[in-house]
Amino acid sequence: MRKYFKYVYILGLIVIFFNIITNDTSKNQKNINEIKFSDFIEKVKTKQIESVKIKNDSIEGTLKSTTSKKTDEKISIKDNENNENEFKTKVIFYPRLFELLEENKVPMEVVEEPQSKLSFMGLIDIFSSLLWVFILILIFKSMKGDKFGIGKSNIKMFTPNMQRVRFTDVLGVDEAKQEVSEIVDFLSDPHKYSRLGAKIPKGVLLIGAPGTGKTLLAKAIAGEAGVPFFSTSGSEFVEMFVGVGASRVRTLFEQAKKSAPCLVFIDEIDAVGRHRGSGYGGGNDEREQTLNQLLVEMDGFETNNGIIVIAATNRVDVLDDALLRPGRFDRQVYIDLPDLKGREAILRKYISEVNILSNIDINAIARGTPGFSGAELSNLVNESAIIAARQNRKKITQEDIEYARDKILMGLEHKTKTMSPDEIKNTAYHEAGHALCSVLLPGVDPIHKATIIPRGQALGLVQQLPERDKVSVNITEIRSNIAVALAGRITEELFFGKDKITTGASSDIQAATKYARNSVNFWGLSDKIGTIYYGERDKYPISEATAREIDEEVKKMIDNGYKLAKSTITKHKATLEKLAQALLEYETLTGDEVRAIVKGEKIKLTKKMDVAKNRIERKFTLPLTKTTKNEEKKTNENIQKKRQEKE
């Protein structure tokens, strides 16, 4: 395109030059007054016309000099460029025109001009139009040749020297690494497979949740094989111009062919690989044109030997079937969230990169982060470092990591949140009910901590951590979990009465209902409904009678859980009272402390700061009523009495 700029520049100068000439010429031309034809006839009859020139379609003439009627001063004839005595009018069919001029003795001259004669301004207009046509031709030629880069793929290429990621850097996905290891062998020694007649997969689809390490695994494959690595995203192929995405796909594979053997990595391929036929007008849109070109490049008439395409997505359900057939992405590698062993390995890697104490229990941290991806574990360590730096510590402690985990899972502590003594007491008994049932009922994950410090939208919570990663649950565990979820509401009812029940059990009721509905609709654990998969009602329409039966079974499971929790709390009411009082005094209890209180053991609670007093001082920032002051005084007396007993 650069070579055309000089021509456009020259043509632009020519246009400017002609505009200057046109302006100068128009300035030199006289400004002739144009009058109506009727006024012209009237002036002829009143003998005001000096002379006229009759052309093809107009009449030009000169008026006689006149004297003002008011001043009787003679108006001098202006000989400058704006001569007011000159006039012009359009010729209108008037049969007696020449007779009228002769009768009034007006000198006249007939001037004939050819009709096809072009004016100077007409030439300028034609030249300007041709110039614009020439510029448009250059633009379209440039777009066709992709001189503007619209169809160019915005791909990043990494050479083997730039690839520093290896399989040892990818942790927690051992099965996936084993699945793709043969791709490394093929790229390193292709004859090992070709002499046996084996064909390496052309495409590998990495499927997993966000943050599980799909992109990192693709880089590790290229790093282990020592081949060039091309990286792009599915969204970079989709543009508003039709055909641009297909052009970028062609450009991508043209670059890859020059560097074969190599790897091409397409992240978030679902942006361009969705099912065809679902777009506007039947689906024949730019995205589908791009997908069609990608399908042809991967397995068309022309073979792309030595090019392995790796794509990543977390929405495999929306991909087109033609993209997943053998010959294209014929190998699908699922990258799951890391298990306990994988989380430990990932934590060790990220912890080694920060300044941390040597006595950190990594296994406890790994057990406390079920469902965390590699990216989330990295964020956990980083949050811990930020918290430690905020406290002016030189090294990260176990408490910093636990605080960061609680912040990620449950939200930030609201230590300044205003709560009345009744709300604090209600929260303590509510969480004590959860904690009691968590310890006593079978199949429940061990309790990690119980707290009445508000976090996120919760006024308090009981945190449970599994001892191992679970892939399934049995009916006993489901019933116990439903009872634990309902225990807080039941405790409020038993200790404060039905008229004192609060809205704090909203999330608990939602969790219990989800357990019960999944048991009936998805897991087939209802004797009455049977082993039938009903799923979501909007996807699997069911009859009104069946929907009524499902609702009845869900309510039955909730009622059974309610009865189980109520009987457990009623039987151990005194123990729950001890738990609630401990929460009121210390705000937070560890799992070991909760279990010791439930067993009736004499325990020595971990030394904590005087949080109870601080909490009470924070609560009464507003004017207090007489009743509230008495409650505050009574609470302070109880706390002081307990301290003296311990001392």
Side-chain angles (χ1 to χ4, degrees), residues 468-474 477:
R468 57 181 177 80
D469 292 329
K470 290 185 177 181
V471 294
S472 63
V473 291
N474 56 46
E477 294 172 345

Side-chain angles (χ1 to χ4, degrees), residues 184-345:
V184 177
D185 292 339
F186 172 79
L187 293 172
S188 303
D189 185 14
H191 299 290
K192 176 181 177 181
Y193 294 87
S194 60
R195 62 172 169 257
L196 296 175
K199 296 180 180 179
I200 200 69
K202 291 185 178 181
V204 178
L205 185 63
L206 304 179
I207 305 169
T212 51
K214 299 184 289 295
T215 304
L216 189 65
L217 181 60
K219 288 183 178 180
I221 296 172
E224 291 287 342
V227 296
F229 178 78
F230 294 87
S231 176
T232 187
S233 173
S235 60
E236 293 181 357
F237 294 114
V238 182
E239 291 285 351
M240 62 179 293
F241 302 105
V242 176
V244 172
S247 175
R248 290 184 176 180
V249 172
R250 288 191 296 269
T251 304
L252 168 62
F253 279 89
E254 286 174 1
Q255 295 179 14
K257 290 174 187 176
K258 297 176 183 178
S259 303
C262 65
L263 285 175
V264 174
F265 177 67
I266 305 175
D267 197 10
E268 304 296 344
I269 195 172
D270 50 276
V272 70
R274 291 176 177 265
H275 290 293
R276 289 172 291 182
S278 58
Y280 177 77
N284 189 18
D285 56 7
E286 162 64 6
R287 180 183 55 79
E288 295 193 1
Q289 299 287 347
T290 307
L291 175 58
N292 292 335
Q293 185 63 42
L294 180 61
L295 296 175
V296 172
E297 291 290 346
M298 290 191 67
D299 189 24
F301 283 104
E302 184 180 1
T303 58
N304 295 322
N305 294 326
I307 301 176
I308 297 178
V309 183
I310 301 178
T313 182
N314 54 0
R315 293 292 310 278
V316 66
D317 56 308
V318 302
L319 296 181
D320 193 86
D321 294 336
L323 203 61
L324 304 177
R325 75 160 177 82
R328 291 183 179 127
F329 288 106
D330 45 10
R331 177 159 299 187
Q332 300 179 16
V333 179
Y334 287 85
I335 303 179
D336 296 324
L337 293 169
D339 55 10
L340 177 60
K341 183 180 177 181
R343 292 197 299 275
E344 279 194 59

Side-chain angles (χ1 to χ4, degrees), residues 410 413-417 419-435 449-455 458-463 579-590 611-612 615-616 618-619:
M410 300 173 288
E413 285 185 350
H414 300 301
K415 292 185 177 180
T416 59
K417 192 167 187 176
M419 294 174 62
S420 67
D422 287 341
E423 289 176 324
I424 297 172
K425 186 176 180 181
N426 186 284
T427 302
Y429 277 83
H430 182 106
E431 302 305 332
H434 288 309
K449 71 167 61 172
T451 180
I452 58 173
I453 298 176
R455 281 185 178 272
L459 298 180
L461 56 93
V462 172
Q463 187 180 29
L579 282 173
Q581 292 301 321
L583 284 172
L584 282 172
E585 182 173 0
Y586 292 97
E587 287 194 326
T588 300
L589 298 175
T590 65
V611 291
R615 172 174 285 277
I616 292 171
R618 288 198 305 269
K619 300 308 169 282

Side-chain angles (χ1 to χ4, degrees), residues 504-547:
S506 174
S507 59
D508 300 332
I509 296 172
Q510 183 179 356
T513 306
K514 184 177 180 180
Y515 265 117
R517 192 167 294 280
N518 286 345
S519 300
V520 176
N521 284 12
F522 297 94
W523 302 332
L525 298 179
S526 171
D527 295 333
K528 184 176 181 180
I529 300 300
T531 54
I532 302 176
Y533 181 84
Y534 287 105
E536 300 293 339
R537 295 186 181 182
D538 56 342
K539 296 181 180 180
Y540 298 89
I542 56 177
S543 64
E544 293 183 5
T546 303

Side-chain angles (χ1 to χ4, degrees), residues 43 159 232 281 308 408 457 463 525 601:
K43 290 181 183 297
T159 61
T232 187
I308 297 178
I408 293 172
Q457 296 182 352
Q463 187 180 29
L525 298 179
E601 299 176 356

Side-chain angles (χ1 to χ4, degrees), residues 380 401-413 448-449 455 461 463:
L380 172 64
I401 298 178
E402 292 208 4
Y403 186 88
R405 181 197 58 204
D406 294 343
K407 177 183 175 183
I408 293 172
L409 289 175
M410 300 173 288
L412 190 65
E413 285 185 350
H448 177 66
K449 71 167 61 172
R455 281 185 178 272
L461 56 93
Q463 187 180 29

